[in-house]
Amino acid sequence: MEGSSKGGVLSHLSLLEAKARSRKTQLHQIKELRDKVEALRIQRDQLRAEIETHKILQKVRASLDKKCTKGGEEEELQVKEGEKMNEDSEHSQLLRLMARHTQLKDLLHAHHIIGGYNITKTIQGRRVCASLATAYEGVYLETYNVEFDLKPTVRIRRHDVPPFIPVDSLAEQSNMQTDIRAFLDTLSKYLNGYAGRKQQLKLVKERHKSVEVMESNVLCSILVMLLTVPGERVTVLCTLKYTDHTRCLPTGVYVQCEADKELPDSPQWKNNCSLLMETPVHKALTIMRDRWIIA
Amino acid sequence: MAASFNRSGPSDLETSSVNDQSVSSRSSNRSVRVAEKERRKNEAEDPVVLALKYFNDVEAGTPVNGNDEVEKQLVLVEKVGYSRGLSPDAISVMLEFAMSLRMGTTLCPRVLKCLIPATTVPQEAVVRAVVWLGVGKIPATTQVLFVKWVLTVFDMIDEKDQLRAIYGFIFNFVTDENLCPFICHLLYLLTRKESVRVFRVRKLLELQSKLGRQPFLLHLLSLYKVFCPELVTLSIPSRMRSGFKNHTSPWKSALLFVQKRNGSQVSSNVSLAVTVKDKTSTRKRKHHHLELPKLSSVVNKPAQTETSSSRKLVPLTQLHSFAQLLENMHRIELPSQMGSLLGSSMALHYLDCVQDESALLRLNFWLGYSLHEEFLFCSDGGASQYSEEVLQFLNRLLSTQHFLQEGFSSSEAFLYKFLTVWDGALYRPEILGLLSNIPVIPSSQIGRLLFEPLMQLFFTSSLFFKCGLIECLNNMLLKWLTWHSVYALEDDLDISLHSHTSINMTLSGFKDSVMELVLFVGRLASVGLQLEGCHSVLLSFVLDFYETACDTFLKYGLPLVLLPPSGVFYPALLASDPVSVDRLAYIMYRYKANLTSAKNQEKVTEQAFHISRQTFREFNSYIAVMANYLWNSRVFHPGMGVQLEKELLLKSNVPEYWTSFDLIHHPAFMSYAIDFHRKCWPGRKDMDLNSIKLSKPWGWYLEYLFTQGFDGLKLFFQGNVRQQKAQGDGQGDSTPTQAR
Amino acid sequence: MGDSTKSLLQRIIRRIPSRAIESTLRKWGRLTAEQLQSIDFTQPKWTVTQELLDMCEEGNWTLKFITELEMSYIIDNPNQGMWYAYQLMNPEDDANSVELTQFKEQFKSHLKQLVRHISLKMKKHTDEAVWIRIAWGDRFFQPNHMKPTYAVHYLQTPYVFVTSLTSKHKPLFSQAMTLSTRYQAIKDANLSGRNLTAIRDLLMRQFQQAFPTKHPSPLAERNQTVSHPRIEKEQDGNAANRLELACEAFGGGTLPQLQSAVYKLETKFRDQTNKAMTEREESFKCIVKFASTNLLESLRHCASSGFASTPVTPLLSSISLKGKNYFVITDNSPGAASQPRRAQDK
Amino acid sequence: MSLLKPFSKLPGINSANILLVEFEETFQQSLADALVEETAVTVNVRLAKSLPLPKENEENRPRIDLVVFIINLTTELSFQSAEASLKCLDSGFFLGKVCFMVTNARNASVPTERLDSVRKLAASLHCPLLFAEDQTPAGVTNAAERLLTILKVTAGLVPMTTALYLSNLTRCTVPPDIDQPTFD
């Protein structure tokens, strides 16, 4: 039909347009790829250079550390350094400064690990945010944050500490205005204790399939387990109470057994109890299992 | 409801009582009954049958509470309803039972919910139910539920005539504000031209004043307006959204299930029912409009077309040949979804030859509405156009318009709106195609409706769009001129162009519009060429247009001649490709033919049109320029279109610059000249093109060019340039013959 | 009794969407395998209900079973009614050592003392939550199982979440709760919503909050858009800044789905253009309500995309900060007069 | 308030600089990506949420050849901020170096008045008003191409035309309301 052929012209035009576009983009892509290659080359060279400097840096750093351990002062150290490496001075100077910088950074990091608090200032120092890391047996667990308003008085603005840890009462007890540090210490004790207990519970559930956890709570301040004695099929109900929430060891261990009432008083179970009192529960259970006390 | 329970039928005797209730329809499908009887002879008793019997002749006032019987039976019926769907007669029975409130109002909704038709819904049942709606004291919610049900199964109702007959009765329910929206929808489906009455319009208007501009009222009113614009005066807002809500919720899943189950047997109904759902659940799904419902009607009982009672209507589906169409022309039943017409050529034939006002109106209404919904006011800003569906739809529309040789007024109205928000790329070919179909616009409107939006698009869009638009406008001009040549009546100059939209305009009006169009293209072309650096593709499209424009008088008998602006003329003349030059020559030749013949007619008849001197002067100067450039090598001659300072030309120190655009040195023809030179003087080492200028080789050269297929040049040459041998230097001097 | 059981069963089944019926029944575990087999769950719901009722007949299930069914269903999809949060105040020293069994019997006994006819049901969910179902009766009437109260409490936490608790029963419930959890007082936490987990997370700080730290924050990395060299962002800085502020105000990551926040203003009307209102003595009362499918998300987006001014006004930020979504604003609170009006026109 | 000036800096060789101002900062990104695809001319794109532009990158900012205000019709704010930003433009820009680009014009939820007010604004400033389909990739590329066509002219890369000349041809005009009942 005549009309349709006309439509053909129009659609053909669109087709041409599309083609033109695609060609343009192709060219564009090629160009881009070339640029990318160029960029990558440059980057590679940069990296190489960096490696070089880093090596030197390492050397300086090593000597620096030696000096520090020896307790030599900065000046004479520099002097020694100066005579040691006989390059143009300002270059070495720079290197030395960089080395020093890295050293200090490491110190800072170490401090964090030992248990300092990562404190950052926000909005022109009107607030600070302290983040408390928790760990148990060298495993890093959750990090909690507390944000303080500094002016007019130091007070907690917001935090993501779980509600069953009494942040506010702790804040009241410690006098934050003078030292936040003390407050943070106590708080972190609580948090670490909680994290530790939680971790223990997790481990118990993982490693001791035979042990049935009857009850626990969000705070992990109570743990009721059903232990089975391997030989004669008696089950022992063992309850751990953690009244001191800053610690991950129980404050009380209670053992019940329907089968024979005497069992808890038996010497063996007495020292089991003491074991549970002294060692973290999952370890204690492993020991007991190894001693064929429980399945 | 005759005693025919297909697929779950009881024996005749049980439903005898039913028969008494309606004798009317018994006749209507006796033949079916006979067949049914045979089948039922060897059919076991069916619990459902008993259930139906129970509901059929349970006497009024039977208590419901603690009546396990009812419960049991109803559960049976429901099981069937939800699983297989109910047979027509089962539906009649149950509907009757429910609406007559024989056992109070409590059971009504439950029964209605399970009325899932397996095949069709007998019209009588619905009519009776409607009557009950008037009589019984059915709680409002149940009433609404019922109407919803009717809407859902509307296209499964076997016939509509009786329903239409009680249009007035149904209309009365409009006053009930609970029912109003749904009744409006029902009326919307039933309305025909004759059912639009003044008092009804008045009623609706007064309702509107009471309830505010409710969409459902507006829809009905707009439909009325479509049928008789003279009755409805209020202006319908262009953006009516979410006219009728989705009513199918209670039945949707069940219907789908049933249809899936016995899809094979009643496919036509299924498809219809499904499309019906789409129709009602308008806003739920996008593009419901665009999926053309397949042309079908539930009335497919060929038995009845023979026993055609006078009022019997023949659905379009049953017509398969043009002959059938002819003999049934007087009693065609149009489908309830006009969109389906676009699908079948039969329907289009019908539309074309029968000047059926209402049919076209309905189609226009549907079309305009769907176009608006889908393109102008999309629910999500046109984010996810199912472009496949859309393209299909638009192309279908295009081909329809080509079939009918005219555009729909609704699509026209739509385009004017769409152009103002078009980004120039969305469905470009289709939109431009539609645009080229629009009928003549009065010159007063044309600028605002067409030119202003197109200008912006044209100058900000790519070369390809520019070409496309020129092409589109060329087609538009072609169509306009064709219509003119078809519909123009010599005696009085009044021509009705669009056979259906009654645009009657005087010849002068028409002329103005065409003039506007041609001038507009002139503007576009000259500036467009300038912007695109005289791109040859664009140039060729422009020349296409002028090939149409130059023949307005001779080919189409429109007394109008408009020359291209110099912005088009010179780029074509100085183009670097010979084809453009050649075509220009041809166009000028045609212009000459038109002008001269117009001249002659002016001489013989008084009432012929008058061409202004200006046009002649322009034309002559063009001719002169062409002759001087191509033949006489008199470039930049004083008193011609392009003039340059002599000093400047000398400064440019181009050797004999005046020859630089003759047929030898013209950038387009240089290669031919060289080729000719080789052929002419094979021996010669040194090439001297000027030697072609000598009269003899010049003649040969022209011959040579003409053999190369430059017919345009040939015609132009023969028409305009008469050679006169000047002695002395054998330089052929040619002067253009001026048309005076 | 049997009648009420059946009606209760019917009611419950009505509440359960038909696709969930089967799974719920399985979870319930009171039906034998063949019983479950016998029911065809594809057929309409009310027929299923009928069959269940028949089973109830022959198996003559006690009310207990049915309440179990309800409870298990509610626990699995609690987001039905409105949940209100209450906060327990000033704990006794042994509040932290309360354990489940003890809490259970304490609560029971306290409530029993207060009300004669009452039916209690407690269940510990896997996530340490204690679910309590209370059907209230009174001196003369049997407990009404049609509209029971549900309460959720995590031991050692000062929060209780309650749904459909009438004002008549509230004091009774509060008393029993405080006593059995070894606290001294209980107060409304001004937080409510349809989504239980959301308000729980909000109060228990179990959603990811954004804190300024030395370590590169995840969101800083997230909006690292690799940009073309020839595309330059003029106001690049403040976009990132806005996002950071927004996240600090409302938290990062996915936020609890809170539906609404209500501000009740009882402030002096301050607007120079409108003398008449400004001069009035008595304070200008109005209620501003924000509603959304996920309010915090939308607020955060508002702030990050610059629709709302940053830093975010304390009025908005304190939703997630204080874990409240109902505020009463009086004039003594700073800038209360200006901010609410901005809040209004957003 | 610092005015952004069109002629305070010298043009670069075979380069054109366009400034896209959009409140939502969503469409401008994709548009920019499409714009820099252009290879014939080096196109520099500057993105801004609103005017005035920050002082600090005053000196490294090239001369701006075309300022495009992207207005998303679904939000009133978008229009308002564009209106406010206009005040920070030197009048020199309005000699054909400003154009408006409207998105979501076909959205049902958009009140007609808003589109009309945008039209009025563009018409009163004699600026072209383009419509764009920001949802589909094809729409985005097309929009970018149209902007490029204008940009090339305004940057003086197209012989024999000027920004003013083009804007005379393409500038928006307020149409007298063609809101008759549409389907009859």
Side-chain angles (χ1 to χ4, degrees), chain D residues 80-114:
Chain D
Q80 286 166 349
S81 87
E83 233 177 352
S85 302
L86 278 167
K87 295 181 179 59
C88 312
L89 276 186
D90 182 273
S91 54
F93 270 107
F94 295 102
L95 303 175
K97 284 173 179 274
V98 177
C99 84
F100 294 88
M101 176 162 267
V102 165
T103 63
N104 286 317
R106 305 188 298 124
N107 194 325
S109 64
V110 172
T112 26
E113 301 73 33
R114 198 174 289 155

Side-chain angles (χ1 to χ4, degrees), chain C residues 38-321:
Chain C
S38 67
I39 304 173
D40 165 19
F41 289 100
T42 58
Q43 64 193 347
K45 194 194 221 168
W46 69 266
T47 34
V48 177
T49 322
Q50 294 308 324
E51 298 189 24
L52 278 172
L53 285 175
D54 302 346
M55 291 186 189
C56 178
E57 276 288 313
E58 61 219 26
N60 55 25
W61 297 338
T62 60
L63 204 55
K64 182 153 153 301
F65 288 11
I66 312 299
T67 51
E68 275 173 15
L69 175 61
E70 185 191 71
M71 199 156 182
S72 72
Y73 175 66
I74 295 290
I75 287 177
D76 286 345
N77 20 14
N79 306 341
Q80 304 214 349
M82 257 307 200
W83 287 90
Y84 295 88
Y86 293 93
Q87 182 168 16
L88 296 155
M89 310 271 292
N90 36 10
E92 313 277 354
D93 6 8
D94 59 348
N96 263 330
S97 60
V98 174
E99 52 164 307
L100 185 62
T101 46
Q102 164 193 0
F103 169 76
K104 272 185 178 167
E105 66 210 22
Q106 286 257 343
F107 189 76
K108 270 208 176 66
S109 62
H110 284 302
L111 219 47
K112 283 268 179 1
Q113 282 167 14
L114 295 170
V115 200
R116 168 99 79 34
H117 291 128
I118 192 161
S119 124
L120 264 174
K121 197 158 193 55
M122 292 206 207
K123 189 167 188 294
K124 185 166 182 187
H125 194 43
T126 48
D127 68 344
E128 309 290 349
V130 183
W131 281 74
I132 310 170
R133 180 188 188 277
I134 311 170
W136 301 91
D138 61 20
R139 198 177 293 99
F140 313 108
F141 293 105
Q142 288 299 323
N144 173 6
H145 283 278
M146 284 309 165
K147 38 181 93 68
T149 300
Y150 273 91
V152 179
H153 175 61
Y154 291 75
L155 289 173
Q156 278 79 34
T157 66
Y159 300 114
V160 190
F161 308 98
V162 185
T163 182
S164 61
L165 175 63
T166 58
S167 54
K168 172 152 148 282
H169 300 128
K170 193 169 158 194
L172 310 174
F173 174 79
S174 317
Q175 187 180 343
M177 203 67 202
T178 39
L179 289 172
S180 48
T181 50
R182 314 294 296 123
Y183 277 76
Q184 288 168 7
I186 188 167
K187 78 168 196 320
D188 189 341
N190 288 331
L191 178 65
S192 61
R194 305 194 133 276
N195 188 331
L196 174 63
T197 49
I199 60 176
R200 186 198 64 204
D201 293 352
L202 206 55
L203 272 182
M204 300 234 198
R205 302 265 177 282
Q206 285 176 357
F207 67 101
Q208 180 198 349
Q209 298 186 62
F211 285 94
T213 53
K214 288 211 177 59
H215 317 300
S217 66
L219 50 104
E221 283 154 11
R222 239 188 287 119
N223 58 8
Q224 284 285 328
T225 47
V226 276
S227 181
H228 193 280
R230 288 204 247 92
I231 300 175
E232 193 95 14
K233 275 205 165 146
E234 288 282 356
Q235 297 127 340
D236 199 6
N238 48 18
N241 184 21
R242 274 203 308 273
L243 181 57
E244 191 179 339
L245 283 176
C247 287
E248 274 185 33
F250 299 109
T254 55
L255 299 172
Q257 285 190 358
L258 209 60
Q259 283 85 16
S260 70
V262 178
Y263 295 84
K264 195 157 175 298
L265 309 183
E266 293 172 358
T267 63
K268 186 120 177 48
F269 191 92
R270 294 199 190 76
D271 180 8
Q272 302 330 325
T273 59
N274 185 341
K275 276 270 168 291
M277 288 296 290
T278 315
E279 256 119 50
R280 284 169 77 239
E281 279 317 304
E282 67 276 22
S283 61
F284 166 73
K285 288 197 172 65
C286 79
I287 288 183
V288 182
K289 178 168 183 181
F290 295 79
S292 158
T293 51
N294 188 343
L295 185 67
L296 291 175
E297 276 291 357
S298 35
L299 284 179
R300 181 171 66 181
H301 181 263
C302 271
S304 61
S305 64
F307 279 87
S309 65
T310 42
V312 182
T313 102
L315 281 165
L316 294 178
S317 58
S318 51
I319 294 176
S320 51
L321 200 62

Side-chain angles (χ1 to χ4, degrees), chain A residues 6, chain B residues 470 474 477-478 481 518 521 539-556 562 564 568 579-591 594 712:
Chain A
K6 290 286 179 234
Chain B
I470 298 287
N474 184 14
L477 182 64
L478 260 174
L481 292 173
V518 175
V521 173
L539 185 57
S540 84
F541 276 96
V542 171
L543 290 176
D544 275 344
F545 179 84
Y546 278 102
E547 278 182 9
T548 319
C550 65
D551 257 342
T552 43
F553 182 63
L554 281 184
K555 253 202 197 147
Y556 306 97
L562 292 169
V568 173
V579 182
S580 307
V581 183
D582 180 60
R583 293 181 71 188
L584 179 68
Y586 173 75
I587 289 170
M588 294 319 284
Y589 158 74
R590 287 306 303 170
Y591 267 115
N594 278 269

Side-chain angles (χ1 to χ4, degrees), chain A residues 6-7 32 52 58 70 72 88-89 95 121 148 170 189 194 200 205 250 263 265 269 275 283 293:
Chain A
K6 290 286 179 234
E32 263 186 351
E52 277 316 304
Q58 287 304 325
K70 282 206 191 101
D88 47 325
S89 66
L95 278 172
K121 279 188 183 163
F148 300 92
L170 289 179
K189 275 214 198 68
Y194 163 63
Q200 286 179 10
K205 280 180 180 160
L263 179 128
D265 309 331
W269 275 94
L275 180 71
K283 289 207 181 119
I293 298 166

Side-chain angles (χ1 to χ4, degrees), chain B residues 222 225-226 229 234-241 364-365 368-369 372 374-385 409-410 413-414 416-426 428 445 448-449 452 455-457 459-462 466 527 530-532, chain D residues 73-74 102 104-113 115 119 127-136 138-140 142-143 145-150 153 158-162 165-166 168-184:
Chain B
S222 56
K225 193 180 171 78
V226 165
L234 89 166
S235 81
I236 312 291
S238 61
R239 36 170 48 188
M240 285 194 302
R241 299 185 48 254
N364 257 325
F365 180 78
Y369 189 70
H372 266 73
E374 302 308 332
F375 296 100
L376 279 176
F377 314 122
C378 333
S379 48
D380 60 349
S384 61
Q385 303 274 16
S409 58
S410 55
F414 157 73
Y416 296 148
K417 283 191 157 298
F418 187 67
L419 283 184
T420 58
V421 295
W422 193 25
D423 75 332
L426 194 68
R428 182 190 295 166
Q445 309 269 318
R448 195 194 76 215
L449 292 178
E452 276 173 11
M455 274 261 272
Q456 293 188 17
L457 285 166
F459 288 118
T460 55
S461 296
S462 64
K466 293 192 171 87
V527 182
Q530 179 188 351
L531 287 177
E532 294 294 339
Chain D
L73 280 187
T74 46
V102 165
N104 286 317
R106 305 188 298 124
N107 194 325
S109 64
V110 172
T112 26
E113 301 73 33
L115 179 52
R119 271 226 170 77
C127 299
L129 173 64
L130 309 185
F131 292 84
E133 302 291 326
D134 59 337
Q135 321 275 10
T136 57
V140 173
N142 179 65
E145 279 202 348
R146 290 180 75 190
L147 285 183
L148 273 174
T149 355
I150 302 176
V153 173
V158 179
M160 307 204 299
T161 45
T162 65
Y165 179 48
L166 186 65
N168 272 326
L169 294 169
T170 59
R171 72 176 173 210
C172 172
T173 49
V174 179
D177 179 29
I178 47 169
D179 216 17
Q180 310 114 342
T182 39
F183 12 89
D184 57 351

